[in-house]
């Protein structure tokens, strides 16, 4: 087991970001203990508490810098798996070879992976919060009497620089690296005040298809019109959207 200092973790993350930022991804470190302290035992990660983990998010540029190039390679049309999932997997397939040799024992959990009982392998929004990448706004962040007891209000994560124009993609557990001296990085509370938080949660839960909840925080980048068209289309109909995007790019 390799012991990493906070300075070594910082250098590692900077190196990863320098390699993957051009493809539309950002990395944020956290410890397994930080995550396990906030989730139910059924979602606990089995690693040592001080094990180093890295959250991967995609930024708005991922669509044009990673996904479209993947589609342009004429991927096998007989493969029925989601093409975006395949594009993300391909991009990070060799991430262990980029890590220093002494910490290449890794496990990657993607956002689309499920346990046998159909529960997610990892709660990405919690990982986003404990890593300091995003703030996870939940029902408990608003006054208790805002909604009726039986009304389901799902939480939503917001990024201080991208607002809601990002997505959680994966968590990398570096199983042979510990960083016991690493200090938590508090997420930026970028939607302040009860009124704004209620508005955010209402927009996300009741009108998420109109995209407006994503603009509750001013963003450096937003999804392109092609990206909005793709994600706003039913998965079963996205093939036609892909053909349109590619034909316009080559036409």
């Amino acid at each position: 087991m390799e012991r990493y200092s906070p300075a070594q973790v910082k250098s590692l993350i900077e190196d990863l970001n320098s390699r993957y930022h051009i493809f539309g991804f950002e990395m944020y470190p956290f410890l397994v203990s930080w995550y396990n302290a906030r989730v139910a035992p059924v979602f606990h990660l089995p690693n040592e508490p001080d094990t180093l983990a890295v959250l991967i998010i995609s930024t708005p540029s991922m669509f044009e810098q990673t996904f479209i190039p993947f589609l342009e390679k004429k991927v096998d049309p007989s493969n029925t798996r989601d093409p975006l999932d395949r594009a993300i997997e391909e991009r990070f397939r060799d991430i262990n070879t980029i890590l220093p040799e002494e910490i290449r024992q890794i496990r990657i959990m993607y956002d689309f992976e499920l346990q046998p009982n159909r529960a997610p392998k990892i709660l990405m929004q919690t990982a986003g919060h404990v890593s300091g990448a995003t703030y996870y706004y939940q029902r408990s962040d608003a006054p208790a009497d805002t909604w009726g007891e039986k009304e389901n209000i799902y939480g939503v994560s917001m990024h201080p620089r991208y607002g809601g124009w990002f997505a959680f993609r994966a968590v990398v557990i570096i199983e042979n690296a510990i960083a016991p001296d690493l200090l938590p990085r508090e997420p930026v509370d970028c939607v302040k005040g009860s009124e704004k938080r209620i508005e955010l949660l209402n927009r996300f839960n009741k009108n998420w298809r109109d995209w407006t909840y994503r603009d509750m925080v001013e963003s450096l980048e937003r999804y392109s019109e092609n990206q909005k068209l793709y994600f706003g289309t039913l998965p079963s109909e996205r093939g036609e959207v892909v053909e349109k995007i590619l034909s316009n790019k080559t036409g």
Side-chain angles (χ1 to χ4, degrees):
M1 187 72 71
E2 296 291 326
R3 184 184 178 113
Y4 261 49
S5 68
Q8 287 175 302
V9 173
K10 181 174 183 290
S11 178
L12 173 67
I13 298 301
E14 287 176 347
D15 185 44
L16 289 171
N17 278 325
S18 70
R19 292 171 183 266
Y20 286 102
H21 184 74
I22 59 172
F23 300 113
F25 299 98
E26 290 186 0
M27 318 281 189
Y28 299 85
F30 65 98
L31 299 186
V32 163
S33 60
W34 305 351
Y35 172 83
N36 284 352
R38 286 179 172 262
V39 300
V42 68
F43 290 110
H44 279 185
L45 298 172
N47 306 82
E48 291 187 25
D50 292 328
T51 300
L52 181 62
V54 179
L55 171 73
I56 302 173
I57 70 167
S58 63
T59 68
S61 63
M62 178 280 299
F63 193 81
E64 279 73 26
Q65 300 304 320
T66 290
F67 188 44
I68 296 301
F70 175 80
L71 295 174
E72 289 175 329
K73 294 191 300 185
K74 308 294 183 184
V75 296
D76 180 5
S78 66
N79 191 330
T80 58
R81 286 190 58 231
D82 186 285
L84 180 59
D85 293 347
R86 287 184 280 147
I88 301 297
E89 279 185 323
E90 180 177 280
R91 177 58 62 199
F92 292 104
R93 184 175 297 151
D94 64 348
I95 190 172
N96 65 315
T97 65
I98 295 170
L99 297 173
E101 289 187 11
E102 69 273 11
I103 58 166
R104 290 184 175 176
Q105 185 179 324
I106 67 169
R107 177 163 55 101
I108 303 180
M109 291 175 287
Y110 293 96
D111 69 296
F112 53 82
E113 290 186 310
L114 301 175
Q115 300 183 49
N117 64 358
R118 306 299 294 171
K121 282 191 173 182
I122 188 165
L123 301 179
M124 287 291 179
Q125 296 196 104
T126 301
H129 195 92
V130 301
S131 70
T134 57
Y135 199 106
Y136 185 22
Y137 293 96
Q138 303 177 73
R139 185 182 185 131
S140 58
D141 290 306
D145 60 350
T146 302
W147 300 280
E149 286 185 16
K150 296 183 178 179
E151 187 172 2
N152 286 327
I153 297 296
Y154 297 100
V156 58
S157 295
M158 297 295 281
H159 192 283
R161 287 182 289 112
Y162 301 114
W165 301 99
F166 77 97
F168 299 112
R169 295 302 177 189
V171 165
V172 180
I173 308 295
I174 306 178
E175 299 193 300
N176 59 337
I178 57 172
D181 298 323
L182 189 66
L183 297 176
R185 176 174 172 261
E186 290 297 317
V188 177
D189 180 2
C190 45
V191 182
K192 293 185 179 295
S194 293
E195 288 187 10
K196 287 291 187 183
R197 292 177 177 181
I198 292 170
E199 182 181 357
L200 170 66
L201 289 166
N202 277 332
R203 288 190 182 193
F204 177 70
N205 280 273
K206 300 174 182 181
N207 297 290
W208 64 269
R209 291 183 183 276
D210 69 7
W211 308 95
T212 59
Y213 83 87
R214 299 175 187 266
D215 285 321
M216 290 290 293
V217 172
E218 186 176 353
S219 177
L220 294 176
E221 300 177 53
R222 299 171 84 249
Y223 287 1
S224 65
E225 290 305 311
N226 279 340
Q227 188 168 185
K228 289 167 69 176
L229 176 62
Y230 181 85
F231 288 123
T233 302
L234 291 173
S236 61
E237 300 173 4
R238 286 175 178 172
E240 295 179 10
V241 174
V242 167
E243 290 180 8
K244 180 180 177 181
I245 291 172
L246 295 181
S247 64
N248 287 342
K249 198 169 188 292
T250 58

